[in-house]
Amino acid sequence: MSSTEEKSLPVVRLRVPTEEDAYAWHEVFADPEVMEFHGGAAAELSVYEELTARQRRHDAERGFCLWTLLGEDDRVIGFTGAQPWPHAWGPVGEVEIGWARHRPGEPRCRRCRRRRPRPGTRLPRPPRLRRTPPR
């Protein structure tokens, strides 16, 4: 590629999750590759109905949420964003950043597969992010 050519980036859009997005999120989490490090199996649909409803509430109250990620054809391909930590354990009171992306029909990268830890491997705990006070 010459220096004058621009590489085309994929077109994606974010939107606040709709009620219908619960079905798409459920499908994303039904993908074994997505769930490899999240317990291995998708939860029941009602969990995603509650999750998308909670995200709509977060957006209305806080101005951020886990947004639905749409591909070029406006199909749901995952989600990305942030939400208040939803559990009574872990970093209570902190904000969680998360994403999941479903890529149906795309082959897995052999190089990436080799670098992935085996299922059940204990992963190192990520560093805790702290907000930096304004100066």
Side-chain angles (χ1 to χ4, degrees):
M1 180 179 344
S2 73
S3 61
T4 57
E5 292 179 45
E6 289 187 32
K7 185 176 179 181
S8 175
L9 297 175
V11 175
V12 294
R13 260 184 345 112
L14 301 176
R15 75 169 178 217
V16 176
T18 64
E19 289 181 30
E20 294 79 28
D21 287 348
Y23 297 98
W25 286 29
H26 183 258
E27 184 180 317
V28 168
F29 280 104
D31 181 338
E33 287 188 28
V34 171
M35 291 304 292
E36 186 173 357
F37 302 107
H38 295 284
E44 294 191 19
L45 177 61
S46 62
V47 171
Y48 302 99
E49 290 170 331
E50 190 280 326
L51 178 60
T52 54
R54 188 170 62 225
Q55 299 312 311
R56 289 189 295 278
R57 190 171 59 251
H58 290 326
D59 182 71
E61 295 172 358
R62 301 169 182 268
F64 64 89
C65 67
L66 294 175
W67 292 286
T68 294
L69 185 60
L70 302 168
E72 290 185 58
D73 57 359
D74 276 348
R75 274 192 12 196
V76 175
I77 59 172
F79 69 81
T80 188
Q83 68 173 348
W85 181 255
H87 306 289
W89 50 269
V92 177
E94 298 293 326
V95 173
E96 171 188 32
I97 297 172
W99 63 90
R101 181 165 177 248
H102 180 52
R103 297 182 294 170
E106 288 189 30
R108 287 178 64 179
C109 168
R110 287 185 195 158
R111 183 174 166 205
C112 297
R113 192 179 325 140
R114 279 196 307 254
R115 289 184 176 178
R116 278 189 173 170
R118 297 178 193 270
T121 302
R122 191 172 175 94
L123 299 174
R125 185 176 178 162
R128 185 169 178 180
L129 300 176
R130 298 193 187 271
R131 292 187 193 141
T132 307
R135 294 180 179 196

